[in-house]
Amino acid sequence: MTDPWAAPAADADPGARLGRLHRAHEAFTSGGRLDAPVRPVVGQSWRRSARARVSPDGTAPVDLRADELGPYRDTHPLARVMPTVRELMGPYAMDGGHLLAVCDAHGRLLWVEGHARARRRAERMNFVEGARWAETEAGTNAPGTALAVGRPVQVFAAEHFLRPVQQWTCAAAPLHDPHTGRVLGAVDITGGNELAHPHSLAFVQAVARAAESQLALLAPRPDDGAARLCALGRDEALLTLGGRRIRLSRRHSEILVALALHPEGLGGDGLLIELYEDESAHPVTLRAELTRLRRLLGPGLLCSRPYRLGVPLDTDFDTVTRRLESGSVAAALGAYAGPLLPRSQAPAAVRLRHRIAGQLRAALIARGDPGLLADWAYSPWGAEDLPVWRTLAAAAPPERRAALLARVRGLDAEQRA
């Protein structure tokens, strides 16, 4: 049985195999037809690349300027495991004439290291630190596709969507936060076609597991005196408290968001106003919810008179706000997992949701960086954000502008109807 995520090992006639793939790529990019030699994972990625209007003759854009790359990389969680990645992959990359690369969750290459000759060749296709290799920008490629499908994947030669990349073979695996499960980025090995073997895919999987284990040791779960609330991009918040991870109901999520906004505490009437659209909501209803939440959290963690938390609470939305206030727009976007409690109608949650999203998108529009704007525009919450799409169309390279302007006109017509 073969692994559908790995490129098949070299056969007796690699030239014929490459020829079949090149013909299949040409058939798809010229007429949208998928031929037999194309693996399902590659065909699906080609379709996503086409929907994103990626030009097969294009190159990956450079998102992070030199003055942004260093500070962003230094504060990224994966910086802590780079010594482990280098120890495991560095000798293999140097001896084989390959490159090791680590990207963030948006596909931005933060580290590209390895054989000097391979690095010089890779520079010609913008496989460089700061470039964004997400599928939406660079089409089918191992790190971008691994992030898109959420699992390790290998891409061989003409399976790459971009023609300038088809002289390379790469394998990549996602890297996760060991405590929250959140995707932090991906680790990649890139080189010649000799990497087209399932062993290469198994290798990057093993490196990813080792890096995640090291990250768990370096960043242990919060101790009993700290709590963290993750409420961005999820209808039910996740509370990490000591050694426990507690998935909260929507109402309990709304209560903790309201209390996070008021660390000094809230009286019963104030908490009612923050939680219920209907001003006729009875205090007994709120007291019942607080009783259930107190039992869930344990003794001493939910105080009353006024209602407040008995431990310091850090939140993912505070992280976004702090990074915006420091001017780190890329880092703020990296921490933004989506709208806060997106289906909640609690006044506190609605107000905070709009404030955080508004501040972030305003910073993105003001920065005018096409890569950052594309991250927002191609996300589920940015798909119909007309001002962001307009700014992206104005900032994008000329070869992509026509497709983006078509999207702007379509959105404008839909929103005027």
Side-chain angles (χ1 to χ4, degrees), residues 179-312:
H179 302 315
T180 67
R182 179 185 174 195
V183 174
L184 299 175
V187 60
D188 168 83
I189 186 77
T190 289
N193 292 344
E194 63 274 15
L195 285 176
H197 196 286
H199 291 168
S200 301
L201 186 61
F203 176 57
V204 292
Q205 287 179 275
V207 172
R209 285 195 295 267
E212 289 169 351
S213 297
Q214 182 70 6
L215 194 60
L217 293 173
L218 294 172
R221 293 184 187 278
D223 60 29
D224 291 338
R228 177 156 177 91
L229 183 70
C230 294
L232 293 175
R234 42 196 320 143
D235 289 313
E236 296 179 329
L238 182 68
L239 179 67
T240 304
L241 184 62
R244 295 186 295 157
R245 294 176 65 200
I246 305 169
R247 183 173 176 175
L248 303 169
S249 69
R250 186 181 301 178
R251 181 59 77 194
H252 290 167
S253 302
E254 293 164 346
I255 290 172
L256 286 192
V257 165
L259 293 179
L261 291 172
H262 299 278
E264 74 284 358
L266 282 169
D269 290 343
L271 194 51
L272 275 171
I273 291 170
E274 293 285 56
L275 294 177
Y276 294 95
E277 295 178 276
D278 184 356
E279 296 182 2
S280 64
H282 201 281
V284 173
T285 303
L286 175 59
R287 285 199 292 272
E289 289 289 356
L290 290 167
T291 298
R292 285 190 283 269
L293 179 58
R294 187 176 283 113
R295 283 200 299 265
L296 180 66
L297 299 182
L301 294 177
L302 181 60
C303 307
S304 56
R305 298 182 182 179
Y307 294 113
R308 64 198 186 280
L309 288 175
V311 294

Side-chain angles (χ1 to χ4, degrees), residues 28-370:
F28 180 80
T29 55
S30 62
R33 189 179 75 254
L34 273 175
D35 288 340
V38 181
R39 291 183 291 148
V41 62
V42 173
Q44 292 160 12
S45 177
W46 283 3
R47 288 192 176 101
R48 289 193 299 270
S49 304
R51 285 197 298 269
R53 305 296 181 91
V54 177
S55 168
D57 294 309
T59 55
V62 176
D63 270 9
L64 296 174
R65 303 188 304 262
D67 60 333
E68 292 182 309
L69 176 64
Y72 178 67
R73 187 169 63 179
D74 291 346
T75 59
H76 196 278
L78 294 180
R80 308 183 74 182
V81 296
M82 278 307 296
T84 298
V85 173
R86 290 188 183 104
E87 181 180 359
L88 294 174
M89 296 183 71
Y92 180 75
M94 290 299 296
D95 293 345
H98 309 316
L99 298 174
L100 74 88
V102 174
C103 67
D104 68 5
H106 295 289
R108 298 187 191 92
L109 299 180
L110 303 185
W111 293 271
V112 178
E113 303 176 4
H115 199 279
R117 186 169 62 251
R119 291 190 67 176
R120 288 193 296 271
R121 286 183 59 217
E123 287 173 1
R124 297 198 288 269
M125 62 176 185
N126 267 4
F127 196 80
V128 294
E129 294 170 346
R132 187 156 67 102
W133 281 75
E135 272 193 350
T136 53
E137 292 291 337
T140 307
N141 69 92
T145 302
L147 292 174
V149 300
R151 59 151 297 133
V153 68
Q154 190 171 45
V155 179
F156 167 70
E159 291 180 334
H160 287 93
F161 194 76
L162 299 185
R163 292 189 180 96
V165 192
Q166 292 180 349
Q167 299 177 24
W168 299 80
T169 290
C170 49
L175 290 161
H176 302 84
D177 183 301
H179 302 315
T180 67
R182 179 185 174 195
V183 174
L184 299 175
V187 60
D188 168 83
I189 186 77
T190 289
N193 292 344
E194 63 274 15
L195 285 176
H197 196 286
H199 291 168
S200 301
L201 186 61
F203 176 57
V204 292
Q205 287 179 275
V207 172
R209 285 195 295 267
E212 289 169 351
S213 297
Q214 182 70 6
L215 194 60
L217 293 173
L218 294 172
R221 293 184 187 278
D223 60 29
D224 291 338
R228 177 156 177 91
L229 183 70
C230 294
L232 293 175
R234 42 196 320 143
D235 289 313
E236 296 179 329
L238 182 68
L239 179 67
T240 304
L241 184 62
R244 295 186 295 157
R245 294 176 65 200
I246 305 169
R247 183 173 176 175
L248 303 169
S249 69
R250 186 181 301 178
R251 181 59 77 194
H252 290 167
S253 302
E254 293 164 346
I255 290 172
L256 286 192
V257 165
L259 293 179
L261 291 172
H262 299 278
E264 74 284 358
L266 282 169
D269 290 343
L271 194 51
L272 275 171
I273 291 170
E274 293 285 56
L275 294 177
Y276 294 95
E277 295 178 276
D278 184 356
E279 296 182 2
S280 64
H282 201 281
V284 173
T285 303
L286 175 59
R287 285 199 292 272
E289 289 289 356
L290 290 167
T291 298
R292 285 190 283 269
L293 179 58
R294 187 176 283 113
R295 283 200 299 265
L296 180 66
L297 299 182
L301 294 177
L302 181 60
C303 307
S304 56
R305 298 182 182 179
Y307 294 113
R308 64 198 186 280
L309 288 175
V311 294
L313 181 66
D314 187 28
T315 69
D316 56 353
F317 47 88
D318 280 339
T319 298
V320 174
T321 300
R322 287 195 299 268
R323 292 180 179 180
L324 281 175
E325 289 173 349
S326 70
S328 301
V329 179
L333 182 59
Y336 185 77
L340 179 136
L341 302 180
R343 296 182 184 177
S344 171
Q345 295 302 313
V350 171
R351 188 169 63 249
L352 182 60
R353 181 193 310 143
H354 292 324
R355 177 166 65 81
I356 293 172
Q359 289 176 344
L360 182 52
R361 63 191 296 277
L364 292 170
I365 290 171
R367 173 67 63 86
D369 183 289

